[in-house]
Each structure stands twice: as structure tokens, then as C-alpha cells.
Amino acid sequence: MLGLFGRCVAAEINYLVYRYLQESGFVHSAFTFAYESLISQSVVATQAGGEVPPGTLVAFLQKGLQLVAMEQRLNDDGSERAAAETEDFSLLTVRCA
């Protein structure tokens, strides 16, 4: 599902968002999103359609958030920060580098 060199391309992300909307019961939103993002014309939809397991978008987001939380607890050299130096991880206060 990852594009060249392990990077997601917009069409792949759009497909995962579309699948998430479908899986969550947002049928009308999924239809509108698919129409506006031209998913039906995307190669991703025809290639990966049956191969993408349910919950893939949520799984990717969870894994990414775990990595961000780990990064906040490590120094640049890989050593663990002292407890006083680390902040409690919050999705709404993540600082992207």
C-alpha cells in the first residue's frame, strides 16, 4: 500500500480515508469524498481494492502516533530523557518537526 520508497501518495491516502468512511457507516460522506477525489479513476482503487484489510487507516495512525510519542521521550542520541524532561503525550499538542 505504500508508494515508491515507502511514501504514501495522495491517491493511497484518499483511498484509505474513503474506506474508513465506509467502514464507519458514513455512506453519504464516503460517496461524496469518492466523487470529489476521483477515487474511481485512481489506479489504487482497482489494484488494492480487495487487499486492504478493514481498519487500515486507523492502524497506520495509531502506529504513527506511537512513534511520535516515542520520539518525544528520546534525546537526539537515542538515550531516554529524564522523567522531568518529558511531557505527557497528547494528540492535540504534538509538535511536528
Side-chain angles (χ1 to χ4, degrees):
M1 189 69 193
L2 291 178
L4 190 61
F5 303 115
R7 303 180 89 189
C8 286
V9 295
E12 292 171 329
I13 294 170
N14 286 343
Y15 183 73
L16 291 176
V17 169
Y18 167 70
R19 285 285 305 269
Y20 169 78
L21 291 170
Q22 280 186 321
E23 293 164 8
S24 299
F26 299 111
V27 181
H28 298 292
S29 297
F31 174 81
T32 302
F33 184 79
Y35 178 77
E36 291 183 357
S37 62
L38 304 174
I39 286 178
S40 63
Q41 297 176 11
S42 169
V43 176
V44 174
T46 56
Q47 288 180 343
E51 298 176 16
V52 178
T56 300
L57 178 63
V58 173
F60 280 149
L61 287 173
Q62 288 172 337
K63 185 168 277 200
L65 291 171
Q66 287 173 345
L67 290 173
V68 169
M70 287 176 22
E71 286 176 344
Q72 286 186 335
R73 288 176 168 62
L74 296 176
N75 292 314
D76 290 337
D77 64 358
S79 61
E80 193 170 345
R81 291 185 182 160
E85 296 176 4
T86 61
E87 302 172 15
D88 287 335
F89 178 75
S90 171
L91 177 62
L92 301 178
T93 60
V94 173
R95 292 175 204 68
C96 296

